[in-house]
Amino acid sequence: MIVKGTNLKKYFPIRKGIFLQTAGHVKALECVDFELNENETLGIVGESGCGKTTLGRVITRIYTPTGGTLEYITPEKKLLHLEKAVDKHQLKRFRRDFQMVFQDPFSSLDPRMTIGDILREPLDVHKIYPNQRERDEYIEYLLERVGLYPEYTARYPHEFSGGQRQRISIARALALKPRAIVCDEPTSALDVSVQSQIVNLLQELKEQEQMAYFFISHDLDLIHHVSDRIMVMYLGSVMEAGRADEVFHHTSHPYTRVLMKSIPHWDPKQRKLDKIHLEGEPPSPINPPKGCPFNTRCPEVMERCKKEMPQLQPITDNHSVACWLFDD
Amino acid sequence: MSIIQVEHLKSFFKTDEGIVKAVDDVSFELRENEILALVGESGCGKSVTAQTILGLLKSPPAMIEGSIKYHGQELVGLSNKAYHKLRGKEIGMIFQEPMSAFDPLYTVGDQAAEAVAVHSKLNKPEIRDKIIAMFNKVGIPEAENRYDEYPHQMSGGMLQRMLIALTLACDPKVLIADEPTTALDVTIQAQVLNLMRDLQNEFNTSIIFITHDLGVVAELSDRIHVMYAGKIVEKADVVELFDHPKHPYTKGLLASRLKREMKGQILPFIKGTVPRAFEFPEGCRFHPRCPHAMEICKQKDPDPVAFENGHVCSCWLYLKQNKTDGVESQ
Amino acid sequence: MKGNTELRVRKAFFKHKLGIIGMIILILLYLMILFADFLAPYNYQSTKRDFTFSEPTKIHWRKDGEFIGPHVYGMTKSRDPVTFAVKYVKDEEKIYPIRIFVRGDTYKFWGLWETDIHLFGIGLQDDAVLYLFGGDRFGRDLFSRVLIGGRVSLTAGLIGTLIAVVIGAVVGAFSGYYGGWIDVVIQRLIEILRSFPRIPLWLALAMLLPPTWPSTTVYLGIVIVLSFIGWMGVARVIRGMVLSLREKEYILAAQVIGQSNFKIITKHLIPNTVTYLVVVSTLSIPGMILGESSISFLGLGIKEPMTSWGLLLKQAQSLSDIQAHPWLMIPGLFIILAVLSFNFVGDALRDALDPYRTVDKV
């Protein structure tokens, strides 16, 4: 195991007035449990506002969690608690092992730095390769590794297309030889014809470098393609989790089922969107509903759902659901 | 019968980098009561085509050639004033970001009323009733109360429905929808697509639907035109295109779809990247990325070849074949 | 394409005619103060009791209809017996030709070596002067004093702005990046300081400078007083920019890499506001120049015998002075010229670097 979160919460304060008094909270994450194992892809899927991006940023400690525990197990099997203020050196060690690839290839690279500068930064921060020649060779190797030419080091980000920038972003994440990479929608800003190139690259790197991925996407098909295990999120909570095949072939939670049906099928002879009926929209995370967060839209809603929040319960060995329908 | 007839349309832009041939010699027709999908990736010219039809491009820097006929009326070179009468009333439009279509300072109802008032002679309470009726029709809950709310109080999906309601309130013959569901979540996208289908049936509107998402196209459209780098490379009706794609680009796009049984395997992909608008290659613009590229592809742009069922494809592969088969090329 | 962007910016700048004119004037002004000792025919401190308030010297080219080159005549001071007004009577017998590279007052060129060569002049004469802009009440050459005074006025604005922009950028970046109570404290402080009227605040601060200080220290003091007010505007805008920049994914990426907050601010945030800083600097120099002039004009800044344009204008405070000796207003023209030029250049720069046209996505 590399990292484990228990009961993770993240609330963002809404501030008002000249002295910024807290007027309420955006409850982005509500009691999320997860663990990420060595060389595994954990897929997080959900619609906008479900908290998947927040979770990714809590895991990389861009955000400090509001509650719960976040444990990191170092390669030496030491346990570090990351949920509170962390020792600077320990955090740096963790940063080296945990990298991130972002969604927007147009804002994830500093426009004023050359590709060489961008890839040099992580190496300099962690003082890897103090020898300049070795370092430059390694940077060229990295570029080749992600399918770009080593001559690109002197160029600026705006000279590249979205797909190429995403490759540079991946090279930067790879530079520190991390144990895990958080991929936050790495393909959704790219052209359709380029998306598969990036997915293939990520898959190939995972196998060769023995890394784990924390893969965030709104695209169910993509999540199924890359993940070993998946978690389906809605309004800050996990609705369903388990082995990817299990969840896809024995979809249990009403929300996951609706989500599955909402994906267009690429088959004009079997149009299906008019057969689904999901009314309404997700409620605001500032005032989430009492009980199950999905109760306002659920086609199978019961009285109980409006009062009590269901917990994630295993229904088979590799599959758990948070829904009162599965409560025996 | 065709409502819009586009012939040899060219929209070029003069920039510091040189002339950008955003739309280069595009011809197609929109038939009555159909949903025509223009499909392509970023920079393929699909949005520019729509903006040209709507007369939204300023020239200069835009240079527009060719012909766009709406019910026989020529739109290229039409004055701004004449266009103003046409837009909304005859040709409606919906964009990707519904938020940007609304002014944050006014209530959605006021803005809807303003849009309706331009083209109708109803008095104020009548307009209000009409708009609330439209809001109800597009599935907005508590439409009466929503009328007096501001855009920021509404979600993207809700605003997009309102925009659709607003556009249809003017009863246009043609609706141009530019990536209307791209900014929405899948469950909301499904709702909006259903809504558009239902309304199209009810109002007999013809729709030009612009998107990069082949899944959405498969669900909604009647005919598909695939665009690449400023040109239409393939035209066919929806079932035909998905069953028998002809152009290597279309084939590549369809193959890159994620299939469940392919889990964990290497996905088929189109090599290279989409060219930027000021550096389109010579010859067939797809040739640097094409797995079947031949010598001729690098030199000359292929003419469209007609197949049965109205299937048209611009590719040298078929031009050669056609010559040997003795089938007449278009 | 970085080269391309530079080219485009340069092209856009040179389209701005007033910007180019401003630029040329500024280059000339700064060359002028750089070589002021050499360009000035006299030492700015040397007084000539016989030539107090002498009007600008007339340069003659012909003598009795015959061309003999530029020259001035000797003068004798006398008083009108009726009005007691000072009059200068020229003595056409005494001809002093204007020569170049003439010997005159000694000065230390750039403080390095002593010399007495001036670009032009008539040398040191007892009964004649070459006062292009006239003389002041101690009989000093106003032209020479304007050149020297420009040193203070033009550099105080430049250095003051530099300090203000550095402080403003750093404070603004920290305020925006850290947010929370740091931001609240800094922003409220700025609001309070900015709500003070500007000139009284300058004066209050300038009064803190001990009158016993030597001129150079006073000069530094003035510069610091100016930048003390100037940084706040810069800080506010930089904070706003940083607030939006810090949400950019490349800032998050730097955090994930483990880059320190200080380095994130200095390596990523501030460099990305540089185009703005350039524009804001150019546009705030005029304010600084005017500020120095105001302080000195009110007698709280630079002290005699050091001088600045503001201090020179002080002599033209009363209407009767201006009526009798209108040439004392000349330093004001220089202030206007410099301020306008900076404004033109600033406008041109802003147009050229306009963020809406510099989007790096093509």
Side-chain angles (χ1 to χ4, degrees):
Chain A
M1 198 159 60
I2 305 175
V3 70
K4 181 180 178 173
T6 322
N7 259 328
L8 278 177
K9 274 187 194 144
K10 180 67 192 175
Y11 292 175
F12 294 99
I14 303 165
R15 296 186 188 278
K16 278 188 179 146
I18 48 166
F19 289 103
L20 307 184
Q21 300 91 334
T22 307
H25 289 279
V26 176
K27 295 171 180 162
L29 281 186
E30 195 75 83
C31 301
V32 171
D33 294 342
F34 75 93
E35 51 181 70
L36 181 64
N37 297 316
E38 218 79 55
N39 197 23
E40 168 196 61
T41 301
L42 175 60
I44 312 295
V45 69
E47 299 178 278
S48 54
C50 74
K52 55 188 194 300
T53 295
T54 308
L55 183 59
R57 290 181 182 182
V58 166
I59 291 171
T60 43
R61 277 305 306 269
I62 292 175
Y63 296 155
T64 314
T66 312
T69 58
L70 183 64
E71 294 161 316
Y72 171 61
I73 295 107
T74 66
E76 301 84 37
K77 304 281 172 241
K78 255 175 65 190
L79 186 101
L80 299 183
H81 274 273
L82 294 177
E83 68 272 7
K84 356 173 231 267
V86 195
D87 175 74
K88 232 181 173 176
H89 297 284
Q90 290 183 343
L91 189 64
K92 213 166 174 184
R93 169 75 233 192
F94 165 76
R95 294 249 180 261
R96 216 177 133 166
D97 288 341
F98 236 90
Q99 282 301 304
M100 190 157 182
V101 173
F102 295 89
Q103 170 173 6
D104 181 1
F106 289 94
S107 97
S108 60
L109 306 174
D110 190 333
R112 293 195 164 259
M113 286 165 85
T114 63
I115 305 312
D117 291 337
I118 288 169
L119 296 179
R120 204 168 297 133
E121 194 178 10
L123 301 175
D124 287 349
V125 168
H126 293 275
K127 306 206 170 55
I128 304 165
Y129 296 112
N131 177 328
Q132 202 178 327
R133 216 190 43 144
E134 275 179 48
R135 185 186 63 192
D136 290 349
E137 273 172 17
Y138 180 63
I139 287 170
E140 287 176 4
Y141 161 79
L142 279 175
L143 281 174
E144 281 178 22
R145 197 82 188 68
V146 296
L148 297 172
Y149 298 109
E151 301 90 85
Y152 286 172
T153 46
R155 298 206 195 165
Y156 284 87
H158 61 243
E159 295 171 58
F160 296 95
S161 68
Q164 287 170 320
R165 284 163 174 243
Q166 206 57 307
R167 286 172 193 269
I168 295 163
S169 213
I170 292 170
R172 172 176 59 191
L174 221 53
L176 295 170
K177 303 200 175 80
R179 295 167 72 201
I181 296 182
V182 173
C183 304
D184 188 358
E185 303 258 15
T187 62
S188 54
L190 303 178
D191 279 316
V192 195
S193 69
V194 179
Q195 283 180 8
S196 341
Q197 297 176 8
I198 299 297
V199 173
N200 286 344
L201 174 67
L202 285 169
Q203 292 283 78
E204 182 197 315
L205 290 172
K206 182 194 165 194
E207 263 160 51
Q208 289 166 358
E209 307 283 332
Q210 299 288 306
M211 291 182 296
Y213 284 145
F214 192 89
F215 205 103
I216 299 165
S217 178
H218 68 280
D219 184 337
L220 267 173
D221 284 332
L222 176 60
I223 284 292
H224 174 259
H225 181 80
V226 298
S227 307
D228 301 308
R229 287 188 301 121
I230 62 176
M231 279 167 36
V232 182
M233 291 185 68
Y234 185 80
L235 211 65
S237 303
V238 179
M239 300 280 101
E240 186 163 2
R243 275 239 326 270
D245 287 322
E246 276 289 313
V247 176
F248 267 74
H249 296 300
H250 307 284
T251 312
S252 303
H253 197 285
Y255 174 63
T256 323
R257 277 185 280 181
V258 169
L259 207 54
M260 296 269 192
K261 284 189 206 140
S262 306
I263 317 170
H265 214 264
W266 289 53
D267 186 354
K269 283 172 291 190
Q270 289 178 27
R271 291 187 170 161
K272 60 172 191 177
L273 288 192
D274 45 350
K275 293 183 196 100
I276 58 150
H277 288 286
L278 178 66
E279 294 297 317
E281 311 201 358
S284 150
I286 300 169
N287 284 312
K290 248 180 101 81
C292 173
F294 191 53
N295 78 48
T296 54
R297 301 169 78 195
C298 184
E300 295 170 71
V301 64
M302 303 176 291
E303 260 323 294
R304 194 179 181 186
C305 306
K306 293 177 186 169
K307 291 180 192 122
E308 290 169 77
M309 166 86 192
Q311 297 301 310
L312 208 56
Q313 299 288 342
I315 48 171
T316 65
D317 284 351
N318 298 312
H319 193 177
S320 22
V321 180
C323 179
W324 290 125
L325 288 174
F326 298 88
D327 187 55
D328 310 316
Chain B
M1 217 206 104
S2 71
I3 295 188
I4 290 183
Q5 184 89 37
V6 175
E7 259 158 48
H8 303 292
L9 182 69
K10 290 180 183 178
S11 297
F12 293 178
F13 296 88
K14 235 178 157 166
T15 69
D16 289 349
E17 317 272 352
I19 287 178
V20 170
K21 301 180 174 182
V23 174
D24 193 359
D25 200 1
V26 159
S27 305
F28 66 92
E29 58 166 6
L30 176 69
R31 297 174 192 156
E32 206 155 284
N33 203 14
E34 75 163 352
I35 301 182
L36 171 69
L38 288 184
V39 183
E41 298 173 287
S42 61
C44 72
K46 56 191 194 296
S47 292
V48 178
T49 306
Q51 287 162 9
T52 314
I53 294 173
L54 287 163
L56 295 175
L57 299 178
K58 281 207 175 67
S59 63
M63 297 176 282
I64 295 160
E65 278 174 42
S67 140
I68 305 167
K69 284 208 168 80
Y70 169 74
H71 276 309
Q73 182 193 2
E74 180 59 56
L75 299 187
V76 172
L78 202 65
S79 73
N80 272 339
K81 214 172 142 192
Y83 245 125
H84 200 72
K85 273 188 197 152
L86 207 70
R87 277 197 296 261
K89 179 83 193 124
E90 303 284 332
I91 307 177
M93 50 199 162
I94 308 172
F95 296 109
Q96 177 171 347
E97 285 294 338
M99 200 52 144
S100 60
F102 286 92
D103 185 333
L105 297 178
Y106 298 92
T107 64
V108 286
D110 283 347
Q111 296 183 55
E114 202 187 327
V116 173
V118 172
H119 299 294
S120 81
K121 292 185 180 69
L122 300 173
N123 63 26
K124 270 197 172 164
E126 282 170 346
I127 288 178
R128 189 187 168 100
D129 290 344
K130 183 172 180 183
I131 288 165
I132 289 172
M134 289 306 291
F135 279 3
N136 277 323
K137 188 163 256 154
V138 295
I140 286 167
E142 304 167 56
E144 287 266 357
N145 301 332
R146 291 288 179 180
Y147 186 94
D148 295 313
E149 285 186 7
Y150 289 88
H152 67 90
Q153 293 170 290
M154 246 141 288
S155 69
M158 197 91 86
L159 284 176
Q160 197 60 287
R161 281 162 204 262
M162 284 185 176
L163 206 56
I164 292 172
L166 211 93
T167 312
L168 293 179
C170 304
D171 226 341
K173 309 280 178 304
V174 176
L175 179 64
I176 296 180
D178 190 353
E179 306 259 11
T181 61
T182 305
L184 306 177
D185 281 317
V186 269
T187 54
I188 312 297
Q189 166 173 290
Q191 295 170 0
V192 171
L193 290 180
N194 277 336
L195 176 71
M196 286 186 70
R197 242 262 177 256
D198 293 348
L199 293 174
Q200 194 247 349
N201 286 335
E202 191 183 326
F203 289 84
N204 290 327
T205 320
S206 309
I207 300 178
I208 298 180
F209 194 96
I210 292 165
T211 183
H212 69 280
D213 188 334
L214 279 164
V216 169
V217 167
E219 280 292 335
L220 197 70
S221 66
D222 301 314
R223 288 191 307 136
I224 302 183
H225 292 357
V226 181
M227 289 190 76
Y228 185 81
K231 295 203 175 264
I232 293 179
V233 294
E234 186 162 5
K235 302 176 183 177
D237 85 41
V238 63
V239 178
E240 169 77 11
L241 189 103
F242 276 84
D243 284 354
H244 308 290
K246 294 221 183 305
H247 198 281
Y249 175 62
T250 317
K251 285 181 183 168
L253 280 184
L254 288 172
S256 64
R257 179 200 159 191
L258 290 154
K259 296 178 196 72
R260 295 274 158 89
E261 58 276 12
M262 295 272 301
K263 181 173 165 58
Q265 295 172 27
I266 294 172
L267 297 170
F269 61 91
I270 305 173
K271 67 181 176 185
T273 55
V274 181
R276 300 192 217 190
F278 55 86
E279 52 191 23
F280 286 156
E282 285 290 303
C284 168
R285 290 174 180 180
F286 187 59
H287 85 257
R289 305 179 70 191
C290 182
H292 309 290
M294 300 170 291
E295 225 13 76
I296 182 110
C297 306
K298 295 174 193 162
Q299 290 149 12
K300 272 184 73 186
D301 203 25
D303 287 324
V305 190
F307 298 85
E308 59 229 355
N309 304 329
H311 198 148
V312 176
C313 173
S314 305
C315 179
W316 283 112
L317 284 176
Y318 304 101
L319 276 162
K320 237 167 69 190
Q321 208 175 347
N322 281 357
K323 268 177 210 144
T324 50
D325 291 356
V327 180
E328 223 179 297
S329 76
Q330 203 183 28
Chain C
M1 265 216 350
K2 189 179 173 58
N4 255 349
T5 318
E6 268 163 29
L7 194 80
R8 195 195 51 70
V9 167
R10 213 170 296 154
K11 245 167 128 186
F13 182 84
F14 284 122
K15 262 186 206 155
H16 210 287
K17 283 216 180 67
L18 284 175
I20 302 170
I21 294 173
M23 194 75 164
I24 293 169
I25 292 176
L26 286 180
I27 291 172
L28 290 177
L29 281 177
Y30 278 93
L31 280 176
M32 179 189 96
I33 61 163
L34 195 62
F35 299 103
D37 303 302
F38 173 64
L39 293 174
Y42 295 95
N43 185 318
Y44 73 102
Q45 295 189 27
S46 64
T47 55
K48 280 193 164 47
R49 300 219 170 267
D50 290 341
F51 292 94
T52 51
F53 289 128
S54 75
E55 58 190 52
T57 316
K58 280 202 181 72
I59 297 172
H60 301 267
W61 296 83
R62 287 165 190 280
K63 166 85 177 156
D64 304 332
E66 192 187 335
F67 182 82
I68 58 163
H71 59 275
V72 297
Y73 296 116
M75 294 273 186
T76 35
K77 188 177 177 181
S78 65
R79 281 188 190 273
D80 188 301
V82 185
T83 62
F84 279 98
V86 178
K87 266 194 347 194
Y88 289 97
V89 183
K90 72 179 171 191
D91 177 356
E92 297 216 4
E93 290 309 305
K94 291 184 173 154
I95 299 169
Y96 297 101
I98 299 172
R99 292 190 306 260
I100 54 168
F101 300 119
V102 74
R103 287 182 186 277
D105 295 321
T106 54
Y107 59 93
K108 261 193 150 176
F109 188 70
W110 290 354
L112 292 177
W113 64 84
E114 203 148 299
T115 172
D116 57 359
I117 308 275
H118 296 261
L119 179 66
F120 65 98
I122 55 168
L124 295 173
Q125 313 295 343
D126 287 335
D127 54 354
V129 287
L130 178 65
Y131 282 3
L132 292 176
F133 292 171
D136 69 2
R137 84 192 136 101
F138 298 112
R140 294 176 299 199
D141 177 23
L142 193 60
F143 177 69
S144 303
R145 290 183 69 74
V146 163
L147 293 191
I148 298 291
R151 283 198 168 160
V152 170
S153 298
L154 290 174
T155 54
L158 214 58
I159 300 171
T161 300
L162 204 71
I163 298 174
V165 165
V166 169
I167 298 175
V170 171
V171 173
F174 272 86
S175 181
Y177 181 70
Y178 284 103
W181 65 266
I182 296 182
D183 189 38
V184 175
V185 170
I186 292 176
Q187 291 314 310
R188 295 302 91 82
L189 187 77
I190 289 179
E191 272 159 28
I192 292 167
L193 286 175
R194 293 242 291 188
S195 60
F196 280 62
R198 217 166 232 242
I199 294 202
L201 189 58
W202 269 330
L203 295 183
L205 289 167
M207 267 193 275
L208 292 176
L209 307 175
T212 50
W213 276 6
S215 326
T216 38
T217 326
V218 169
Y219 168 75
L220 281 177
I222 298 289
V223 167
I224 289 165
V225 166
L226 290 174
S227 46
F228 182 78
I229 316 272
W231 68 269
M232 291 181 278
V234 182
R236 288 227 103 165
V237 185
I238 293 299
R239 168 183 173 266
M241 294 186 82
V242 166
L243 277 181
S244 72
L245 280 178
R246 75 168 181 186
E247 298 300 319
K248 292 257 178 188
E249 288 178 346
Y250 63 82
I251 301 298
L252 299 181
Q255 290 176 349
V256 170
I257 281 165
Q259 189 63 281
S260 67
N261 286 331
F262 181 76
K263 278 260 181 77
I264 289 177
I265 292 174
T266 53
K267 257 186 90 171
H268 296 285
L269 288 174
I270 293 181
N272 275 290
T273 61
V274 145
T275 33
Y276 169 76
L277 287 177
V278 169
V279 174
V280 85
S281 308
T282 330
L283 286 173
S284 68
I285 293 173
M288 296 274 181
I289 292 178
L290 290 173
E292 184 278 324
S293 303
S294 313
I295 295 175
S296 298
F297 179 77
L298 293 164
L300 288 157
I302 297 297
K303 304 256 176 347
E304 293 280 0
M306 247 314 247
T307 194
S308 80
W309 290 345
L311 188 57
L312 288 173
L313 267 187
K314 192 175 177 220
Q315 301 178 356
Q317 245 172 357
S318 75
L319 205 58
S320 60
D321 279 345
I322 297 172
Q323 242 166 2
H325 324 294
W327 56 90
L328 292 178
M329 297 285 287
I330 289 172
L333 294 180
F334 277 80
I335 295 177
I336 294 170
L337 199 63
V339 166
L340 278 181
S341 301
F342 270 113
N343 278 329
F344 290 153
V345 172
D347 282 346
L349 273 178
R350 186 176 46 199
D351 289 354
L353 298 169
D354 186 334
Y356 294 102
R357 284 165 56 197
T358 4
V359 277
D360 27 52
K361 261 189 263 181
V362 177

